[in-house]
Amino acid sequence: RTERVGRDTTFGQIIRLVEEAEASKAPVQRFADRFTAYYIPVVVAVALLTYLVGRSATAAVATVLVACSCAIAMATPITVLAAVGRSARRGIIIKGGRYLEALAKVDTVVMDKTGTLTLGRPEVTDVVAVDGESEASLLALAASIERRSEHPLAAGIVRAAERRALVLHEPKEFEVYPGEGVAATVDGVSALCGTERLLARFGVDVPEPVVARVRGLAEEGRSVVLVAHAGRMTGLVALADTIRPEVQPAIAALRALGIRRLLLLTGDRREVAAAVARQLGVDFEAEVLPEQKIRVIERLQREGRVVAMVGDGINDAPALAQADVGIAMGVAGTDAAIEAAHVALMQDDWRVVPEAIQIGRRVFRTIKQNLWFTVGYNIVGMALAATGWLPPIAAAAAQSLPDVAVMVNSARLLHGRS
């Protein structure tokens, strides 16, 4: 069955994004545009002064011929073009020069946990029933509530119930509370699956022994989902997720790049976040709702930091948009993720995160090389022409050399050489 064709497919979207990125201007391009606007009058003035002082029309003409501004104008766009093309081949879709330049300046990386740092396939490790409930009925109830949820924890609970061949019911009046859990009715009875905050919202008390058990499981790095039925606490389900194997080497690479701060930002319990942060050696802020993530990023930006946010692209869309550079991982086939992020990674591979930052820095360094070389070349060329050392024919030939040099220097990005 054909569901989407042409520009509506993931491949078509990638082509469109790359085309838009190649046409967009980096902020440094505005410098080049302003420089070019002033450069031409300065060249004309230098040529006129050369004629008035030396009374040599030949020298004045040579001065105008050698002082070509083309290389200055093309120094940025041709570098962005090369970088965007190379990045796309690596599965890194960067939406233009603006974000390449922002990548070059990133000094803080904020990261989501579930599905970003972890594999996003949590498995049930503990089912703890209370108040006379059996483990099987508790798991069946939790899976029935969660079966319409898109959260990775919900998927883990449903998988566990299906492996046990438990009978699941269709939830009604299903409602998601972001960062807290879900509420529904199962067989006409209200049911909850989520955090203590969600149960408190509906006036359900959590016994102290359960709170202590939750804390103990969280300290082991497990995510805990509380289950309530008909206004009473019926038990909990604990799940464990696995940190992606490439995360630790990628974080080491980020530190080697001089990233000043690495921050884990999650809605999970503090104990769970602390366990993951301890393994990775990063800072953390836990129990943060999606809308609160934006405020954390705003706070970092007010401190003068340039922030890259790495997330899954859907649940973290507001935070990705707020960050200086939003990086969405594993977005192949995910329209919302492709649109939300400034940088879209087509695969779930943390190794491309430091690579994207390296590309941004290499691009910015190449642009500066192009600009300084072109300005220096033109100054020397005009000085030689004005003093009669460079005749018009040689000046006409010499003015094309910066263009070639800029293209050759920028082309190095296509092959990954710095």
Side-chain angles (χ1 to χ4, degrees):
R1 183 173 70 248
T2 301
E3 296 180 344
R4 289 184 291 182
V5 298
R7 293 179 69 85
D8 294 329
T9 64
T10 298
F11 184 67
Q13 289 177 312
I14 292 170
I15 292 174
R16 174 177 58 81
L17 291 172
V18 171
E19 288 173 346
E20 292 174 356
E22 289 173 344
S24 72
K25 290 185 176 181
V28 72
Q29 178 66 30
R30 291 195 291 268
F31 162 78
D33 293 342
R34 290 195 301 270
F35 184 91
T36 302
Y38 290 107
Y39 181 69
I40 301 301
V42 169
V43 170
V44 172
V46 170
L48 182 60
L49 186 63
T50 298
Y51 176 74
L52 293 176
V53 172
R55 295 295 177 180
S56 173
T58 300
V61 170
T63 301
V64 173
L65 288 174
V66 78
C68 177
S69 63
C70 298
I72 296 173
M74 68 188 286
T76 298
I78 199 156
T79 306
V80 169
L81 183 69
V84 167
R86 176 176 180 265
S87 300
R89 290 205 305 270
R90 294 281 297 131
I92 306 170
I93 311 302
I94 301 174
K95 297 183 179 180
R98 172 184 175 186
Y99 302 112
L100 277 165
E101 186 168 337
L103 278 170
K105 299 176 180 178
V106 165
D107 59 17
T108 300
V109 174
V110 177
M111 55 206 110
D112 178 46
K113 182 179 75 69
T114 305
T116 302
L117 287 176
T118 63
L119 293 173
R121 283 185 62 85
E123 298 295 339
V124 172
T125 59
D126 300 84
V127 179
V128 181
V130 299
D131 201 18
E133 194 85 21
S134 70
E135 288 188 7
S137 61
L138 174 65
L139 184 58
L141 174 62
S144 297
I145 302 168
E146 295 278 23
R147 67 188 305 187
R148 293 290 167 258
S149 173
E150 297 179 353
H151 197 281
L153 294 179
I157 292 172
V158 173
R159 280 196 304 272
E162 289 174 345
R163 278 197 293 268
R164 297 190 188 187
L166 299 178
V167 177
L168 305 186
H169 300 277
E170 185 66 26
K172 305 293 184 182
E173 301 176 24
F174 181 84
E175 188 171 0
V176 176
Y177 293 84
E180 296 183 6
V182 296
T185 58
V186 178
D187 288 338
V189 181
S190 63
L192 304 171
C193 223
T195 64
E196 293 171 59
R197 190 186 299 122
L198 178 69
L199 269 61
R201 178 192 290 269
F202 285 86
V204 178
D205 293 327
V206 181
E208 187 56 39
V210 175
V211 173
R213 185 68 181 273
V214 169
R215 190 177 300 115
L217 290 167
E219 287 173 353
E220 296 173 7
R222 302 179 194 181
S223 298
V224 181
V225 177
L226 302 180
V227 185
H229 190 221
R232 63 183 179 84
M233 175 82 185
T234 56
L236 61 87
V237 180
L239 303 95
D241 204 350
T242 304
I243 296 177
R244 296 180 186 277
E246 75 279 4
V247 168
Q248 288 186 321
I251 286 179
L254 289 171
R255 293 191 189 282
L257 289 172
I259 301 300
R260 292 163 52 194
R261 190 175 184 193
L262 296 164
L263 176 65
L264 168 61
L265 199 60
T266 178
D268 216 331
R269 293 180 61 88
R270 182 176 183 82
E271 294 87 353
V272 177
V276 174
R278 209 164 33 243
Q279 291 183 58
L280 300 177
V282 300
D283 299 328
F284 74 93
E285 292 191 29
E287 301 179 13
V288 181
L289 297 175
E291 61 270 18
Q292 294 173 330
K293 290 184 179 181
I294 298 176
R295 291 197 282 274
V296 172
I297 291 174
E298 287 176 339
R299 186 191 74 220
L300 293 170
Q301 290 170 329
R302 285 195 300 271
E303 293 173 2
R305 300 181 184 272
V306 180
V307 181
M309 169 72 187
V310 186
D312 59 21
I314 301 175
N315 297 332
D316 298 312
L320 290 170
Q322 176 61 40
D324 297 284
V325 185
I327 303 175
M329 296 188 63
V331 299
T334 309
D335 296 344
I338 291 176
E339 293 300 327
H342 308 130
V343 178
L345 308 181
M346 304 309 294
Q347 53 188 327
D348 289 316
D349 188 346
W350 259 84
R351 288 172 293 188
V352 294
V353 174
E355 182 178 347
I357 293 175
Q358 282 180 313
I359 289 173
R361 292 184 179 183
R362 196 151 55 230
V363 166
F364 202 58
R365 185 166 63 245
T366 301
I367 289 172
K368 290 194 289 186
Q369 289 170 352
N370 289 344
L371 290 173
W372 283 113
F373 170 77
T374 304
V375 170
Y377 183 94
N378 283 346
I379 291 173
V380 172
M382 284 193 294
L384 293 174
T387 55
W389 285 89
L390 196 66
I393 294 177
Q399 65 87 26
S400 63
L401 293 180
D403 298 354
V404 176
V406 164
M407 286 190 288
V408 170
N409 192 41
S410 300
R412 294 184 305 145
L413 293 169
L414 293 171
H415 306 289
R417 294 193 298 268
S418 58

